[in-house]
Amino acid sequence: MTMSSERNWAENLTYGAARIARPESVGALRKMLARGGSVRALGTRHCFNDIADTDGTLVSLERLPHDVEIDGDVARISGGARYGDIALDLHTSGRALANLASLPHISVAGAVATGTHGSGDRTPSLAAAVRALTFATASGDLVTLRRGDADFAGAVVHLGSLGIVTELELETEPAYDVAQTVFDAPRWDRILEDVDGVTSLGDSVSIFTTWREPDHADQLWVKTRAGREIDLARVAALGARAADGPRHPIPGVAPDACGAQGGISGPWYEQLPHFRLDFTPSVGAELQSEYLLPRADAAAAIEAVRGIADRISPHLHICEIRTIAADDLWLSPSNGRDSVGLHFTWHHDEPAVREILPILEAALDPFDARPHWGKLFTMDPARIRALYPQWDDFRDLRKRIDPSGRFQNAYTRRLGL
């Protein structure tokens, strides 16, 4: 263990932990937990708020072995593994995950714990791939919950409140290829006439906008599995045109960090993320917020944000709009409803961002927008609790698994967990 002076990925937060532990085995982790004190798991630090912080001990599992064990359609992995660490092993074994987030740099356990997602009308959050997960609890005991167990749906998206995840089992499928094509300047009026038609153009579709152009979005990214063709007539009807070269989602940034475009096909793990593992994703110096709301309200929500575009755009690098299928996980932001996510990549000016967030959240409140747990938001905790029908069930589960509250922190206490 060492004293902590650790910062998160965005460097907008210095963790308040007294120390950081990097156990090299599950046994060492269990012994550490048995000593007592407040504890939180530290993943790849890609959260923009204090969800992972503690005044006690931060635990990083980065030194645990990152082996991938394939058993039929299930992959068993370490709690410290990143998606980029396991993807090639899966692919080499002829297996794949159904989806990935925008960047492969994030830890699997951290993404699962916060309900992080990729994109696709028929694809749920990354947490929905979990078949089983094992926690090291406050006592140092190991507890495994499997799909079908009474508490499983409550434990998967757990906000770090149940213990340290030491192992996950993920559902896989046969490996596949993905082609990515970028189109410029789709018109807002055509998008809003048929949002579902736009998001169904591929297996994963993203609309990128700076909100600076009143008539059109900046880019439309369409990712399709091998064998699926893009409906180019529908794209033309949007007023969009094929990009004349590689694009980065953020205007003016070199596209070197991005996967192959122009309809070139490549392995799923290279093409589903927007950014490559060996590059700094996005612009690096940035802050992020995201809100998920019912897909049926997508057009109205987009219009609401367009109505405050002049307030948002000066602080914004880019906004991404994408879809996520419903899941049944209690604290998943896409729980119980097919969703659309509005993701905001802000300039690195937290006071300015926190000033604009209440305005944005008020515009999205009529649509019961749920914030991404790991990104910046200012919503009233009572309002957030009201958006989750099984909130009290999760709180009861937390009290049963961690009765002394050793995994609680300022973030979870604000939320009333």
Side-chain angles (χ1 to χ4, degrees):
M1 294 187 183
T2 58
M3 296 299 292
S4 173
S5 59
E6 304 287 332
R7 305 187 77 183
N8 65 339
W9 179 80
E11 297 191 345
N12 68 309
L13 175 72
T14 299
Y15 296 112
R19 62 195 66 83
I20 182 168
R22 294 181 174 87
E24 298 182 5
S25 70
V26 173
L29 169 65
R30 297 177 67 186
K31 289 179 181 178
M32 186 215 77
L33 289 172
R35 298 188 189 111
S38 299
V39 182
R40 293 290 284 184
L42 180 66
T44 43
R45 314 177 199 208
H46 200 257
C47 289
F48 296 80
N49 57 36
D50 59 345
I51 187 172
D53 204 4
T54 179
D55 57 3
T57 302
L58 282 173
V59 178
S60 169
L61 301 186
E62 62 189 357
R63 294 181 181 173
L64 292 187
H66 293 163
D67 297 335
V68 178
E69 181 182 335
I70 308 293
D71 183 7
D73 63 351
V74 172
R76 189 172 297 106
I77 66 167
S78 160
R82 302 179 302 168
Y83 282 96
D85 295 328
I86 67 170
L88 181 58
D89 284 344
L90 285 173
H91 189 74
T92 302
S93 300
R95 307 304 295 177
L97 300 175
N99 210 343
L100 290 172
S102 297
L103 57 159
H105 307 66
I106 57 177
S107 70
V108 179
V112 165
T114 55
T116 296
H117 59 88
S119 174
D121 286 353
R122 298 184 299 275
T123 309
S125 72
L126 301 178
V130 175
R131 289 273 197 91
L133 70 172
T134 298
F135 293 95
T137 64
S139 63
D141 293 333
L142 297 181
V143 174
T144 298
L145 293 170
R146 299 186 178 280
R147 190 179 293 178
D149 291 348
D151 294 329
F152 177 81
V156 179
V157 180
H158 55 86
L159 312 189
S161 296
L162 303 182
I164 310 293
V165 174
T166 61
E167 185 177 273
L168 301 102
E169 294 181 11
L170 304 179
E171 190 170 56
T172 69
E173 60 185 80
Y176 54 90
D177 286 346
V178 172
Q180 179 171 241
T181 307
V182 177
F183 302 93
D184 291 333
R187 292 178 54 88
W188 279 122
D189 56 351
R190 308 288 175 78
I191 292 172
L192 296 174
E193 286 173 1
D194 186 15
V195 176
D196 288 344
V198 175
T199 62
S200 67
L201 282 167
D203 297 281
S204 172
V205 174
S206 296
I207 301 167
F208 288 102
T209 179
T210 60
W211 302 108
R212 296 185 189 115
E213 298 292 339
D215 297 329
H216 61 80
D218 291 66
Q219 300 173 29
L220 176 66
W221 288 39
V222 181
K223 302 173 193 268
T224 56
R225 293 198 184 202
R228 178 172 179 175
E229 299 293 330
I230 299 173
D231 185 344
L232 295 178
R234 175 170 277 173
V235 173
L238 297 173
R241 58 187 181 276
D244 58 6
R247 295 284 189 267
H248 191 284
I250 299 172
V253 177
D256 304 30
C258 301
Q261 300 172 24
I264 296 172
S265 188
W268 60 278
Y269 66 92
E270 292 182 353
Q271 294 292 78
L272 285 176
H274 296 327
F275 305 107
R276 297 175 177 172
L277 182 63
D278 50 348
F279 284 83
T280 298
S282 196
V283 290
E286 65 191 53
L287 302 172
Q288 295 180 10
S289 301
E290 186 178 34
Y291 302 89
L292 277 71
L293 49 107
R295 195 181 304 170
D297 294 328
I302 292 170
E303 286 281 43
V305 177
R306 289 179 78 200
I308 56 171
D310 60 331
R311 304 290 302 275
I312 292 173
S313 58
H315 308 287
L316 191 68
H317 284 297
I318 201 68
C319 174
E320 180 180 12
I321 302 169
R322 50 188 171 165
T323 56
I324 311 98
D327 60 50
D328 64 351
L329 307 175
W330 296 356
L331 291 192
S332 168
S334 48
N335 170 265
R337 62 193 198 188
D338 290 335
S339 299
V340 61
L342 278 68
H343 184 280
F344 300 84
T345 300
W346 307 105
H347 295 296
H348 201 284
D349 184 349
E350 188 162 353
V353 171
R354 288 194 174 275
E355 185 174 336
I356 198 67
L357 284 180
I359 298 169
L360 174 60
E361 291 167 355
L364 295 177
D365 186 69
F367 312 108
D368 290 342
R370 296 166 173 165
H372 186 296
W373 297 117
K375 303 184 189 294
L376 294 179
F377 58 89
T378 61
M379 288 175 63
D380 181 353
R383 177 60 174 144
I384 295 174
R385 292 194 294 270
L387 295 171
Y388 288 89
Q390 291 162 299
W391 184 273
D392 291 341
D393 296 327
F394 179 82
R395 184 165 50 192
D396 291 343
L397 174 63
R398 196 280 299 169
K399 290 178 179 178
R400 281 192 283 117
I401 293 182
D402 183 28
S404 61
R406 286 185 57 201
F407 295 103
Q408 293 295 87
N409 67 352
Y411 177 98
T412 59
R413 287 189 287 271
R414 284 198 306 271
L415 289 174
L417 284 175

